[in-house]
Each structure stands twice: as structure tokens, then as C-alpha cells.
């Protein structure tokens, strides 16, 4: 009898959670945009156009492609299909490519405005970034950043005084001013490597913090004169080329290079994390960037080496109809 009551209670709970989501999904009248991706082969945007039950690949000149042709126009995206057919090209733009190279350099980044306001528990794991092991391991403690950095032993809920002092002194020696105003990282072991955290201190200066062989690694990152950062997004992509994406108070979008800590302004005209959604599909040649604002839906192709603007598609009406988009080289 108790088991039946438990099942009934669990069913009521699940239905109360699932049904509102289903209603919202069926009531959602937001526009559905076709898949759009920049082609490194023909150097223009391509997209999938649905005509009744038929989905066809097209480019901005209006040319229609068969499925096999579309795979070959977008080899960086459909490389798995091409690999199965033994049809990956030997080179693209004069650069040799293979399945492993393409996979290592491909990445996907997705941001929604509501992500910024998601409540977080201000306790963070500090992974060992140089353990020598294949997989990352969860630490036995968590840290918090207030007037100093404190590590809390999770088993005893007590402060690790020695470790806390060690990290606090390392940060203070690099002129970090507590408390931190921004803390970003990827606190999960489900990633290939760990770069710790990026911090903005009380003066909104940029720092890199991680643990290397049990010791604190702290790096103060010099910002270009006049640059005031607003938001940070740690990347940790497989190719380890970038360390973070960043925005400033003027809504400009930057890339923080890994290892060199060079800060590069991208060709994206503007991105406001408060209101805009951002999607980036990157490969070794270029990035397809989609910025969806309350008033528009825009695509930008960036050079993967210097992040300059190659092409853009802009739709000011926020209704994604290809003939109505302004195309600018």
C-alpha cells in the first residue's frame, strides 16, 4: 500500500512538472529558423530550406544542392558523413585536413540571456590541472571567494586553513584585490582538461587562477588601455586555442587566447548578454556566429585565425526569411 502511495505521489509530481512544459512548447509561437552555416569551400553562407516535406540545401545565390552535394559544400560540419563515405577532401583552402584534425578544431558554444541570471551556490571546485591522469577527479574540498579565498573540506565542513592561506597569499602577491566581482569556470569533470577560473577582482582587473600540482597558479592578465570588461565565458575547447570569450561595457566581443593571454577584438558588431542569445559553431577555418536580439537575427562569419569579419547576414525584422536578409561582404 505504501509503495502504491509512493508511485501515485511520484506520478503527480512528474506530471505537475512535465505538463506545464508541454503546454508552453505547444503554445510557443516564436519563429523557427533554418540551419545556417558558413561554407569554407564556396565562401558564402548556406542554409537548409524546408518546402513542405522537402528539406533542401541552398546557398545565398539560390543554388539548390542534393544531400550529397550539400555535405561536400559543408565538409567541416558533415565530416562524419564524409568520413563514412571516404570522401573527406585532402585539403581545404590549401590546408591539409583529415577527420582527426577537423574533430579536434570543431567546437560549439551556446549562450542564452537567462544563463546570466541563473542562481548559483558560491562554492566552486578547484580541480588539479596537471594530475598526469587521463580523467579529471572531483576534489575533496570547495572554495569560496569573499575577503579572501577559503577552501572548505566537504567531509568535515571545516576550513582548510593552510591551503586557504597559500592561495590567498599567491593571489595577493599578484595584486588581486578581494572580493572578486566575477568568477567563471566549467565546474565539471566531464571535460578533457581544466583551466581553472577567470576572475575579475574588485577593480575589475582580469586574473587566471588554477591549481597546478597542488600549488596555486595565479596570472594577472594585462588589459588593453581603456578596456573595461563586463562578462567572461571560459571556453576549454578541445584544441586549446582560446581560453575565454569576453564582452566589455560597450558590448564588443573579444577572444582571450590561451597560453599567450592575448586579447583580440572580434568582428562581431555587438553582443549584449543581457538581452541577446549567442551561438558559435567553429572550425579550423572560420566561425559561424549567430546573435539573436529582441529585434533581429544576425549571422557573422569570422576568420578562425584573427577573428575578423568575413561576411554577415542581417535580418532586422527578426523573422528569418532568406530573401529579406541583407547580405554584406
Amino acid at each position: 500500500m505504501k509503495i502504491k502511495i509512493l508511485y501515485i505521489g511520484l506520478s503527480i509530481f512528474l506530471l505537475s512538472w512535465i505538463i506545464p512544459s508541454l503546454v508552453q512548447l505547444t503554445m510557443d509561437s516564436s519563429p523557427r529558423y533554418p540551419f545556417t552555416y558558413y561554407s569554407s569551400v564556396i565562401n558564402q553562407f548556406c542554409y537548409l530550406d524546408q518546402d513542405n516535406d522537402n528539406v533542401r540545401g541552398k546557398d545565398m545565390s539560390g543554388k539548390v544542392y542534393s544531400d550529397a552535394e550539400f555535405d561536400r559544400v559543408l565538409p567541416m560540419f558533415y565530416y562524419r558523413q564524409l568520413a563514412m563515405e571516404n570522401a573527406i577532401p585532402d585539403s581545404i583552402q590549401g590546408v591539409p585536413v583529415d577527420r582527426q584534425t577537423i574533430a579536434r578544431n570543431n567546437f560549439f558554444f551556446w549562450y542564452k540571456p537567462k544563463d546570466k541570471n541563473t542562481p548559483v551556490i558560491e562554492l566552486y571546485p578547484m580541480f588539479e590541472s596537471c594530475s598526469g591522469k587521463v580523467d579529471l577527479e572531483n576534489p575533496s574540498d570547495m572554495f569560496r571567494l569573499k575577503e579572501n579565498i577559503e577552501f572548505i573540506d566537504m567531509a568535515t565542513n571545516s576550513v582548510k586553513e593552510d591551503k586557504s592561506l597559500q592561495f590567498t597569499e599567491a593571489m595577493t602577491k599578484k595584486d588581486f584585490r578581494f572580493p572578486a566581482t566575477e568568477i567563471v569556470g566549467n565546474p565539471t569533470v566531464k571535460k578533457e582538461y581544466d583551466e581553472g577560473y577567470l576572475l575579475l577582482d574588485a577593480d575589475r582587473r582580469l586574473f587566471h587562477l588554477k591549481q597546478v600540482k597542488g600549488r596555486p597558479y595565479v596570472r594577472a592578465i594585462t588589459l588593453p588601455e581603456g578596456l573595461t570588461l563586463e562578462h567572461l565565458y571560459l571556453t576549454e575547447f578541445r584544441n586549446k586555442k582560446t581560453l575565454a570569450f569576453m564582452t566589455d561595457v560597450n558590448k564588443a566581443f573579444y577572444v582571450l587566447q590561451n597560453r599567450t593571454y592575448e586579447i583580440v577584438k572580434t568582428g562581431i558588431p555587438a553582443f549584449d548578454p543581457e538581452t541577446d542569445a549567442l551561438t558559435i559553431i567553429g572550425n579550423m577555418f572560420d566561425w559561424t556566429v549567430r546573435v539573436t536580439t529582441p529585434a533581429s537575427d544576425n549571422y557573422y562569419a569570422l576568420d578562425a585565425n584573427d577573428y575578423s569579419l568575413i561576411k554577415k547576414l542581417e535580418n532586422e525584422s527578426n523573422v528569418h526569411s532568406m530573401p529579406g536578409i541583407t547580405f554584406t561582404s
Side-chain angles (χ1 to χ4, degrees), residues 24 81 85 112 138 154 158 177 181 198 231 283 318 322:
Q24 182 178 4
Q81 177 64 35
E85 300 172 7
K112 305 179 298 300
N138 282 310
M154 290 187 286
S158 60
R177 288 196 61 237
T181 56
L198 286 175
H231 297 294
N283 62 59
N318 203 19
M322 282 294 171

Side-chain angles (χ1 to χ4, degrees), residues 10-230:
L10 181 61
S11 299
I12 292 173
F13 171 76
L14 290 174
L15 288 173
S16 67
W17 174 57
I18 293 172
I19 290 177
S21 299
L22 292 175
V23 171
Q24 182 178 4
L25 182 63
T26 57
M27 298 288 289
D28 186 7
S29 59
S30 59
R32 295 290 181 260
Y33 306 119
F35 167 78
T36 302
Y37 192 79
Y38 183 78
S39 169
S40 310
V41 175
I42 61 174
N43 299 318
Q44 60 176 298
F45 285 102
C46 300
Y47 64 100
L48 291 174
D49 182 38
Q50 183 167 353
D51 182 14
N52 295 323
D53 293 331
N54 297 320
V55 178
R56 301 175 298 175
K58 294 183 178 181
D59 62 30
M60 295 309 298
S61 68
K63 182 176 179 179
V64 179
Y65 297 89
S66 67
D67 289 347
E69 290 172 336
F70 203 60
D71 292 345
R72 286 154 177 76
V73 167
L74 301 177
M76 308 307 289
F77 190 83
Y78 293 113
Y79 73 93
R80 290 185 180 89
Q81 177 64 35
L82 295 178
M84 188 180 69
E85 300 172 7
N86 197 27
I88 292 180
D90 294 331
S91 65
I92 297 175
Q93 299 180 7
V95 178
V97 297
D98 55 36
R99 177 172 181 162
Q100 291 73 27
T101 303
I102 294 173
R104 185 172 62 252
N105 287 279
N106 279 6
F107 71 86
F108 181 80
F109 178 84
W110 186 28
Y111 169 86
K112 305 179 298 300
K114 68 178 183 180
D115 293 342
K116 179 182 177 298
N117 299 316
T118 301
V120 295
I121 299 174
E122 295 182 346
L123 286 172
Y124 308 90
M126 182 72 74
F127 301 110
E128 172 54 58
S129 296
C130 192
S131 67
K133 297 181 179 180
V134 174
D135 298 320
L136 296 172
E137 296 180 349
N138 282 310
S140 61
D141 53 32
M142 305 280 277
F143 74 89
R144 60 190 176 199
L145 276 171
K146 298 295 182 182
E147 298 307 317
N148 56 10
I149 182 170
E150 283 188 332
F151 286 85
I152 314 298
D153 186 285
M154 290 187 286
T156 63
N157 197 31
S158 60
V159 176
K160 290 186 172 182
E161 299 289 354
D162 291 344
K163 186 174 183 179
S164 300
L165 180 61
Q166 182 186 37
F167 272 76
T168 297
E169 288 181 345
M171 296 171 72
T172 302
K173 286 180 180 178
K174 294 294 183 178
D175 294 325
F176 184 93
R177 288 196 61 237
F178 294 93
T181 56
E182 183 101 357
I183 306 170
V184 298
N186 296 317
T188 175
V189 295
K190 294 181 179 180
K191 55 186 180 181
E192 294 189 6
Y193 65 99
D194 175 68
E195 282 292 354
Y197 295 84
L198 286 175
L199 314 173
L200 292 179
D201 73 354
D203 295 328
R204 301 200 73 79
R205 293 178 300 162
L206 182 62
F207 290 81
H208 185 197
L209 173 68
K210 61 182 177 179
Q211 179 175 273
V212 179
K213 296 184 178 180
R215 299 183 60 82
Y217 170 94
V218 185
R219 173 68 180 258
I221 303 171
T222 302
L223 301 179
E225 186 175 354
L227 175 60
T228 301
L229 294 176
E230 188 173 36

